[in-house]
Amino acid sequence: MKICVIGTGYVGLTTAVSFAMMGHDVIGIDIDQAKVARLQAGETGIYEPNLEDELQKMLALGNVSFSSSLEEGILASKAIFVCVGTPPQADGSADLSALHQVLAAIRETVEQTADKAQTARVIVIKSTVPVGTNDRIARLFADLPNLFIASNPEFLREGSALHDSLHPARIVLGTEEPQALAILEELYASIDCVRVKTTRANAEMIKYGSNAFLATKISFMNELARLSAALGADIREVAHGMGLDPRIGPYFLGAGLGYGGSCFPKDTSALTELGAQHGVQMPLLQQVQQINEQQPAWFVAQMKRHVPVLAGRRIALLGLSFKPKTDDLREAASLRLIPLLLQEGASVSAYDPLCNERVRQLFPDVQFADTPYQALAGADAGVLVTEWEQCVNLDFAQVRAGLKLPFLFDGRNAWNKQAITEAGLRYIGVGRS
Ligand code: UGA
């Protein structure tokens, strides 16, 4: 099927490449001409495993192309995916200005063409938007009888985006219009998973609810980790024991430095704000956000139980991105931890396989290293901030030789506690006895 994907950011580009891999004829549209040229040359400009390789393969096969011309994309396509950003505004609510600009351009393009009454097309909103937005869009387009609106939220994770797009746990198809549903079912025919066919509003709520619930699981475990630390329990074993109950499940029970990224922080605040706009208090979700924001400060307080005076000490941070296998720094725990340590009077050395240069722009006083060992050499203590493989699998005897004090603080509960202890170092995790 001929489809176009408007907005070639993280979600849009992954959507375009994965549909191309399913054999569809995809055109990716972006107003940024330099980006279009780069994508057309096979460069993604972001770090996402396999995405660049598959982009190049799909370009060679002719399954995907890129353009700045909305008209070209829209008129050629039966499905128009809108994947523009909906960043948070100062009050936490989602900024829909990019979405509205795209919708106005789609209307103008369709109105100007002779075939507006003949070709059935569906506008598919993948951008995360407040509940009710898709219905409002449907009302705005009600006068164009062959243009349908559907909400089709995405559930891909950075670092495994292509895999998640091609092997989803479910596909949510939110639309009241059978014509839109028929196009979407044809489009996703090759993907073997459950379809949730529902209303547009339900689809929007499923997206927010899913992210908010996952964020809640993490904050819950971080709260329980604080108590475990105080009582001498080990949160990893607690999580294992809890997760075996199928009603709880083993995923997203990982205590640590808190969640980051472009989605959980943004979507939890957007949902709380949506509640406030409709007179519904959401104290649980507010606490989820607060626990997350406080987690790096709680972690520093834990560090001070072992190294009471951080002033004059050098602390080595391993990993800076918000999670491994991505170069995304949005809401990364590292960006909260660095100022907290600097405020304590500590100096900071750091290593990340992809983010050193961008963090240097924000914190020029941090010493950046080319390897984890270099960051740790001469430091008083080390902190695992992001569980990159190269930061997790270390030779701890070598680490011991370089560290001044014997402390390793595991901000992701991902290091091998036994190997650390055997190397003569002290292991301190998040909520671990
Ligand atoms: C998240 C969701 O997992 C996706 O389903 C969703 O599509 C996406 O947001 C989105 O809305 O676009 P993502 O932000 O890429 O995906 O990353 P996650 O793997 O969910 O991790 C988010 C944060 O939670 C990371 O900082 C991670 O370190 C943290 N985390 C995750 C924990 O602290 N503990 C855990 O047990 C799991």
Short mmCIF file of all heavy atoms in Angstrom, two decimals, residues 11 128 154-158 207 211 214 218 252-254 258-264 267 322-323 387 412, ligand 1:
data_model
loop_
_atom_site.label_atom_id
_atom_site.label_comp_id
_atom_site.label_asym_id
_atom_site.label_seq_id
_atom_site.Cartn_x
_atom_site.Cartn_y
_atom_site.Cartn_z
N VAL A 11 9.82 8.28 16.20
CA VAL A 11 8.67 7.42 15.91
C VAL A 11 8.40 7.37 14.41
O VAL A 11 8.19 6.31 13.83
CB VAL A 11 7.42 7.95 16.66
CG1 VAL A 11 6.16 7.21 16.22
CG2 VAL A 11 7.62 7.81 18.16
N THR A 128 1.39 11.15 20.37
CA THR A 128 0.64 10.99 21.62
C THR A 128 -0.11 12.29 21.90
O THR A 128 0.50 13.34 22.09
CB THR A 128 1.61 10.66 22.78
OG1 THR A 128 2.33 9.48 22.41
CG2 THR A 128 0.86 10.42 24.07
N GLU A 154 1.68 4.31 19.27
CA GLU A 154 2.83 3.40 19.16
C GLU A 154 3.33 3.05 20.56
O GLU A 154 3.19 3.82 21.49
CB GLU A 154 3.92 4.02 18.29
CG GLU A 154 4.42 5.38 18.73
CD GLU A 154 5.38 5.35 19.87
OE1 GLU A 154 5.99 4.28 20.06
OE2 GLU A 154 5.51 6.35 20.59
N PHE A 155 3.93 1.86 20.64
CA PHE A 155 4.43 1.39 21.94
C PHE A 155 5.90 1.01 21.85
O PHE A 155 6.39 0.18 22.61
CB PHE A 155 3.58 0.21 22.42
CG PHE A 155 2.13 0.57 22.58
CD1 PHE A 155 1.20 0.27 21.60
CD2 PHE A 155 1.70 1.25 23.72
CE1 PHE A 155 -0.14 0.63 21.74
CE2 PHE A 155 0.36 1.61 23.87
CZ PHE A 155 -0.56 1.30 22.88
N LEU A 156 6.61 1.58 20.87
CA LEU A 156 8.01 1.19 20.69
C LEU A 156 8.90 1.84 21.74
O LEU A 156 8.63 2.95 22.21
CB LEU A 156 8.49 1.51 19.28
CG LEU A 156 8.43 2.95 18.78
CD1 LEU A 156 9.65 3.74 19.17
CD2 LEU A 156 8.29 2.92 17.27
N ARG A 157 9.95 1.13 22.10
CA ARG A 157 10.92 1.64 23.06
C ARG A 157 12.19 2.05 22.32
O ARG A 157 12.62 1.34 21.40
CB ARG A 157 11.32 0.55 24.06
CG ARG A 157 10.25 0.16 25.02
CD ARG A 157 10.55 -1.18 25.64
NE ARG A 157 10.62 -2.22 24.61
CZ ARG A 157 10.94 -3.49 24.84
NH1 ARG A 157 11.26 -3.88 26.05
NH2 ARG A 157 10.97 -4.37 23.87
N GLU A 158 12.79 3.14 22.72
CA GLU A 158 14.08 3.50 22.15
C GLU A 158 15.07 2.39 22.49
O GLU A 158 15.00 1.80 23.57
CB GLU A 158 14.56 4.84 22.71
CG GLU A 158 13.68 5.97 22.27
CD GLU A 158 14.23 7.35 22.59
OE1 GLU A 158 15.44 7.46 22.86
OE2 GLU A 158 13.45 8.30 22.56
N LYS A 207 -2.88 4.55 25.32
CA LYS A 207 -1.48 5.00 25.21
C LYS A 207 -1.02 5.69 26.50
O LYS A 207 0.00 5.33 27.09
CB LYS A 207 -1.35 5.95 24.01
CG LYS A 207 -0.03 6.68 23.93
CD LYS A 207 1.12 5.74 23.64
CE LYS A 207 2.45 6.47 23.76
NZ LYS A 207 3.57 5.61 23.48
N ASN A 211 1.75 4.10 29.45
CA ASN A 211 2.98 4.75 29.91
C ASN A 211 2.89 5.15 31.37
O ASN A 211 3.85 4.99 32.14
CB ASN A 211 3.29 5.98 29.04
CG ASN A 211 4.07 5.59 27.79
OD1 ASN A 211 4.36 4.41 27.58
ND2 ASN A 211 4.39 6.55 26.95
N LEU A 214 3.31 2.02 33.56
CA LEU A 214 4.70 1.55 33.62
C LEU A 214 5.53 2.47 34.52
O LEU A 214 6.36 2.01 35.31
CB LEU A 214 5.30 1.48 32.20
CG LEU A 214 4.70 0.39 31.30
CD1 LEU A 214 5.18 0.54 29.86
CD2 LEU A 214 5.04 -1.01 31.83
N ILE A 218 7.53 1.62 38.17
CA ILE A 218 8.93 1.97 38.49
C ILE A 218 9.00 2.78 39.79
O ILE A 218 9.79 2.49 40.68
CB ILE A 218 9.58 2.74 37.31
CG1 ILE A 218 9.65 1.84 36.07
CG2 ILE A 218 10.97 3.23 37.69
CD1 ILE A 218 10.02 2.56 34.79
N PHE A 252 9.42 -4.11 34.35
CA PHE A 252 9.37 -2.74 34.86
C PHE A 252 9.26 -2.69 36.39
O PHE A 252 8.63 -1.82 36.94
CB PHE A 252 8.27 -1.93 34.16
CG PHE A 252 8.74 -1.43 32.82
CD1 PHE A 252 8.97 -2.33 31.79
CD2 PHE A 252 9.02 -0.10 32.60
CE1 PHE A 252 9.46 -1.92 30.57
CE2 PHE A 252 9.53 0.33 31.38
CZ PHE A 252 9.74 -0.58 30.37
N LEU A 253 9.92 -3.67 37.00
CA LEU A 253 9.99 -3.67 38.46
C LEU A 253 11.41 -3.28 38.89
O LEU A 253 11.81 -3.55 40.02
CB LEU A 253 9.64 -5.06 39.02
CG LEU A 253 8.23 -5.58 38.74
CD1 LEU A 253 8.02 -6.95 39.39
CD2 LEU A 253 7.17 -4.61 39.27
N GLY A 254 12.17 -2.72 37.98
CA GLY A 254 13.58 -2.42 38.26
C GLY A 254 13.74 -1.10 39.00
O GLY A 254 13.53 -0.02 38.44
N GLY A 258 15.56 6.01 38.63
CA GLY A 258 14.31 6.58 38.13
C GLY A 258 14.23 6.53 36.62
O GLY A 258 15.21 6.28 35.94
N TYR A 259 13.02 6.77 36.12
CA TYR A 259 12.82 6.72 34.67
C TYR A 259 13.13 8.08 34.03
O TYR A 259 12.96 9.13 34.64
CB TYR A 259 11.38 6.29 34.33
CG TYR A 259 10.29 7.17 34.91
CD1 TYR A 259 9.96 8.40 34.33
CD2 TYR A 259 9.57 6.78 36.03
CE1 TYR A 259 8.95 9.20 34.86
CE2 TYR A 259 8.56 7.58 36.56
CZ TYR A 259 8.26 8.79 35.97
OH TYR A 259 7.28 9.58 36.50
N GLY A 260 13.63 8.02 32.80
CA GLY A 260 13.87 9.24 32.02
C GLY A 260 13.27 9.07 30.64
O GLY A 260 12.34 8.28 30.45
N GLY A 261 13.82 9.79 29.69
CA GLY A 261 13.36 9.65 28.32
C GLY A 261 12.31 10.67 27.94
O GLY A 261 11.89 11.50 28.75
N SER A 262 11.88 10.59 26.70
CA SER A 262 10.97 11.61 26.18
C SER A 262 9.52 11.26 26.48
O SER A 262 8.64 12.06 26.22
CB SER A 262 11.15 11.74 24.67
OG SER A 262 10.76 10.52 24.06
N CYS A 263 9.25 10.06 27.02
CA CYS A 263 7.85 9.63 27.08
C CYS A 263 7.27 9.59 28.49
O CYS A 263 6.26 10.26 28.75
CB CYS A 263 7.72 8.27 26.42
SG CYS A 263 8.31 8.33 24.74
N PHE A 264 7.84 8.82 29.39
CA PHE A 264 7.21 8.69 30.72
C PHE A 264 7.08 10.05 31.43
O PHE A 264 5.99 10.37 31.92
CB PHE A 264 8.00 7.71 31.60
CG PHE A 264 7.90 6.26 31.18
CD1 PHE A 264 8.66 5.29 31.81
CD2 PHE A 264 7.03 5.87 30.17
CE1 PHE A 264 8.57 3.96 31.44
CE2 PHE A 264 6.93 4.54 29.78
CZ PHE A 264 7.71 3.58 30.41
N ASP A 267 4.42 12.12 29.40
CA ASP A 267 3.05 11.61 29.37
C ASP A 267 2.40 11.60 30.76
O ASP A 267 1.20 11.82 30.88
CB ASP A 267 3.02 10.21 28.74
CG ASP A 267 3.38 10.26 27.26
OD1 ASP A 267 3.41 11.38 26.69
OD2 ASP A 267 3.61 9.20 26.65
N PHE A 322 19.61 8.27 28.80
CA PHE A 322 18.52 7.93 29.74
C PHE A 322 18.32 6.44 29.87
O PHE A 322 17.70 5.97 30.83
CB PHE A 322 17.22 8.65 29.36
CG PHE A 322 16.33 7.94 28.37
CD1 PHE A 322 15.34 7.08 28.81
CD2 PHE A 322 16.48 8.14 27.02
CE1 PHE A 322 14.50 6.43 27.91
CE2 PHE A 322 15.66 7.49 26.11
CZ PHE A 322 14.67 6.64 26.55
N LYS A 323 18.83 5.68 28.92
CA LYS A 323 18.84 4.22 29.02
C LYS A 323 19.89 3.72 28.04
O LYS A 323 20.36 4.50 27.20
CB LYS A 323 17.46 3.62 28.72
CG LYS A 323 16.94 3.89 27.30
CD LYS A 323 15.54 3.40 27.13
CE LYS A 323 15.51 2.11 26.37
NZ LYS A 323 14.15 1.69 26.02
N GLU A 387 22.89 1.43 32.31
CA GLU A 387 23.44 0.07 32.25
C GLU A 387 23.86 -0.34 30.83
O GLU A 387 23.44 -1.37 30.31
CB GLU A 387 22.46 -0.93 32.88
CG GLU A 387 21.12 -1.10 32.19
CD GLU A 387 20.06 -0.07 32.55
OE1 GLU A 387 20.39 1.10 32.79
OE2 GLU A 387 18.88 -0.43 32.55
N ARG A 412 21.63 1.25 38.89
CA ARG A 412 20.66 0.48 38.09
C ARG A 412 20.53 -0.96 38.58
O ARG A 412 19.89 -1.78 37.91
CB ARG A 412 21.08 0.49 36.61
CG ARG A 412 21.01 1.86 35.97
CD ARG A 412 19.58 2.38 35.86
NE ARG A 412 19.56 3.80 35.51
CZ ARG A 412 18.47 4.55 35.52
NH1 ARG A 412 17.30 4.04 35.89
NH2 ARG A 412 18.53 5.82 35.22
C1 UGA B 1 8.51 4.03 26.66
C2 UGA B 1 7.57 2.81 26.64
O1 UGA B 1 8.23 1.68 27.23
C3 UGA B 1 7.14 2.47 25.21
O2 UGA B 1 6.20 1.42 25.24
C4 UGA B 1 6.51 3.72 24.61
O3 UGA B 1 6.13 3.49 23.26
C5 UGA B 1 7.48 4.87 24.64
O4 UGA B 1 7.87 5.12 26.01
C6 UGA B 1 6.80 6.09 24.06
O5 UGA B 1 5.77 6.50 24.59
O6 UGA B 1 7.22 6.54 22.98
P1 UGA B 1 11.14 4.41 26.23
O7 UGA B 1 10.91 5.73 26.89
O8 UGA B 1 11.85 4.35 24.94
O9 UGA B 1 9.71 3.67 25.98
O10 UGA B 1 11.97 3.49 27.23
P2 UGA B 1 11.67 2.42 28.37
O11 UGA B 1 12.39 1.18 28.04
O12 UGA B 1 10.24 2.30 28.66
O13 UGA B 1 12.41 3.09 29.63
C7 UGA B 1 11.99 4.33 30.17
C8 UGA B 1 12.80 4.65 31.41
O14 UGA B 1 12.40 3.79 32.48
C9 UGA B 1 14.31 4.48 31.26
O15 UGA B 1 14.95 5.57 31.86
C10 UGA B 1 14.61 3.21 32.02
O16 UGA B 1 15.91 3.20 32.57
C11 UGA B 1 13.56 3.27 33.13
N1 UGA B 1 13.23 1.96 33.71
C12 UGA B 1 12.68 0.98 32.94
C13 UGA B 1 13.44 1.73 35.07
O17 UGA B 1 13.92 2.62 35.80
N2 UGA B 1 13.10 0.51 35.59
C14 UGA B 1 12.55 -0.48 34.83
O18 UGA B 1 12.27 -1.56 35.41
C15 UGA B 1 12.34 -0.24 33.48
#
